[in-house]
Amino acid sequence: MYRLILAFANWLQNTPMALAVGGSDWAYPYVQLTHFTGLSLWVGTSVALDVRLLGVGEGRQSPAELLDALFLWNWIGFGLTILGGFLLFSIAAASFVGNLAFRAKLGILIPLALAVHIFVQAKARDWSETPEPPVAAKLAGLLEMLLWLSVATAAVSIPYF
C-alpha cells in the first residue's frame, strides 16, 4: 500500500500544477496564504464554539446561535485549508508521505478531529436547550480543542522529521 501511495505522490509532485506552484516565486507564498487563511477561519471559528461550550461567554449567545453565526465561515475556512494544503502537499508529496509528523497530522486530523468537529456542530443545538452546557458538551469542546492543538503540534514538527 505504501508503494502505491508513494507512486501517486511521485506522480503528483511532477504534475504541471505542482511544478508551477513550486517553481514560482510568487505562487508559493499565495498558496501558503490560502492555507493559513483557511486554517485561521476553520480553527478559529471551531475554537470559538468550543470555548462557548465550555461555558465562557454565557449570556451573550447560545452555542446554537454562535454556530449559526459562524457555520458558513467555518466551512469556507475548511475549503480554503484543503485547497491550500493539497497544493502545498503536491509540491513535495513524496517527502511528505514518508514524514512521521505529517502522517501524525493527517492521522489525527482526518479520523479524529474532523469527526469530533462534525459531532460538535451536530450536537450544539441540542446542548443549547439547557441554561448551561451539559458535561458532554464541555468534554466535546475540550476534546476538539486538544485535537486541534495536537494537529498544530504535528504540523509545526514536519520540518524536523
Side-chain angles (χ1 to χ4, degrees):
M1 181 67 166
Y2 179 75
R3 288 182 15 195
L4 182 63
I5 293 170
L6 187 59
F8 171 76
N10 281 317
W11 169 82
L12 181 63
Q13 72 184 23
N14 288 302
T15 61
M17 171 198 64
L19 294 171
V21 172
S24 171
D25 289 337
W26 62 269
Y28 186 80
Y30 282 104
V31 169
Q32 279 187 315
L33 178 66
T34 301
H35 187 61
F36 295 144
T37 300
L39 281 170
S40 298
L41 284 170
W42 188 28
V43 176
T45 55
S46 298
V47 169
L49 179 60
D50 295 334
V51 168
R52 180 61 191 91
L53 290 173
L54 288 172
V56 177
E58 288 183 39
R60 294 179 184 222
Q61 286 182 311
S62 71
E65 292 169 333
L66 187 58
L67 174 64
D68 288 342
L70 299 178
F71 186 83
L72 180 61
W73 289 110
N74 183 266
W75 289 101
I76 288 171
F78 174 76
L80 290 173
T81 299
I82 296 302
L83 174 65
F86 179 76
L87 289 172
L88 290 173
F89 171 75
S90 71
I91 295 167
S95 64
F96 280 122
V97 166
N99 187 299
L100 291 177
F102 180 78
R103 292 164 89 172
K105 174 187 167 184
L106 289 186
I108 297 166
L109 178 65
I110 293 171
L112 299 174
L114 196 53
V116 170
H117 177 67
I118 291 169
F119 173 77
V120 166
Q121 285 192 342
K123 296 296 285 179
R125 293 193 196 303
D126 296 338
W127 292 331
S128 294
E129 294 176 4
T130 59
E132 184 175 321
V135 173
K138 293 178 181 186
L139 289 174
L142 182 62
L143 176 62
E144 185 174 17
M145 287 194 301
L146 290 174
L147 288 170
W148 286 128
L149 181 61
S150 299
V151 169
T153 301
V156 298
S157 300
I158 290 172
Y160 304 105
F161 283 87

